[in-house]
Amino acid sequence: MADDHATATLAGGCFWCIEAPFQELAGVHSVTSGYCGGDVPDPSYEAVCSGSTGHAEAVQIEYDPDVIGYGDLLEVFFALHDPTTKDRQGPDVGSQYRSAIFYHDDAQRELAEETVDRLHPDYDDPIVTEIEPLETFYEADAYHQDYYANNPQRAYCQVQVRPKLQKVRERFAERVADD
């Protein structure tokens, strides 16, 4: 039997935009916004936003693999963002908004590579999602956590996050947790 706890780390633009949709899924215990993939220890939000640290805004997802698999999380991930735009998602531009999968082990790496290969024909442009080992995940400041839940009326949340929530609720309705 699988352990009831596994971790996935994904970057698909602004972490606020992917945190809230993943929180909707059955089997997801927690989603933490933060940074990874850079070369500056314990970066600040301002430093990451400057694009000078090499970090991507990312989320770390703690989940129960008996309820939702890593492959399921990847399916949702690719539905939530455009994996064909380098260093850009919607209005957010810079390497900190790149599409990336930070794998925790060889099994995750292999499944990520297989998923990209399988999805490639679904896109007009090549998938540019980076697949790299997770070295260190730095948790973002507290005000970034549960951002949509705490700020649903903010314009950015209305325009950028809400449509992604709707997409998950409609396209992955069978995976959404019952409240």
Side-chain angles (χ1 to χ4, degrees), residues 62-84:
E62 303 293 333
Y63 66 99
D64 181 345
D66 288 335
V67 178
I68 188 165
Y70 185 69
D72 298 321
L73 295 174
L74 292 178
E75 292 294 324
V76 173
F77 170 69
F78 280 103
L80 288 176
H81 78 295
D82 181 352
T84 68

Side-chain angles (χ1 to χ4, degrees), residues 18-173:
I18 60 175
E19 175 195 58
F22 278 114
Q23 289 173 329
E24 297 271 308
L25 302 175
V28 170
H29 299 303
S30 67
V31 182
T32 303
S33 291
Y35 320 105
C36 53
D39 53 14
V40 173
D42 200 21
S44 68
Y45 178 66
E46 293 73 21
V48 172
C49 285
S50 76
S52 65
T53 69
H55 290 88
E57 288 193 13
V59 294
Q60 195 154 74
I61 304 161
E62 303 293 333
Y63 66 99
D64 181 345
D66 288 335
V67 178
I68 188 165
Y70 185 69
D72 298 321
L73 295 174
L74 292 178
E75 292 294 324
V76 173
F77 170 69
F78 280 103
L80 288 176
H81 78 295
D82 181 352
T84 68
T85 56
K86 183 169 177 51
D87 299 339
R88 179 184 193 116
Q89 290 298 314
D92 301 317
V93 180
S95 63
Q96 66 272 30
Y97 302 115
R98 67 187 179 272
S99 176
I101 298 168
F102 296 93
Y103 61 86
H104 291 247
D105 56 34
D106 284 338
Q108 284 188 354
R109 178 187 51 78
E110 290 170 11
L111 190 50
E113 290 169 351
E114 290 168 9
T115 301
V116 168
D117 289 344
R118 181 175 47 78
L119 292 177
H120 180 73
D122 296 345
Y123 294 92
D124 293 333
D125 296 314
I127 292 175
V128 296
T129 302
E130 297 173 4
I131 300 173
E132 57 187 83
L134 177 68
E135 292 182 15
T136 305
F137 179 83
Y138 298 100
E139 188 172 324
D141 293 322
Y143 73 92
H144 291 295
Q145 310 306 326
D146 300 311
Y147 193 82
Y148 179 81
N150 293 325
N151 302 280
Q153 298 308 317
R154 293 197 99 164
Y156 186 90
C157 290
Q158 292 290 310
V159 173
Q160 299 299 324
V161 182
R162 181 169 280 186
K164 293 174 187 296
L165 280 169
Q166 282 305 115
K167 180 181 270 189
V168 165
R169 292 172 182 161
E170 293 168 8
R171 184 168 171 185
F172 301 101

Side-chain angles (χ1 to χ4, degrees), residues 1-29:
M1 180 189 280
D3 187 352
D4 70 349
H5 173 84
T7 306
T9 306
L10 306 169
C14 173
F15 44 38
W16 300 338
C17 289
I18 60 175
E19 175 195 58
F22 278 114
Q23 289 173 329
E24 297 271 308
L25 302 175
V28 170
H29 299 303

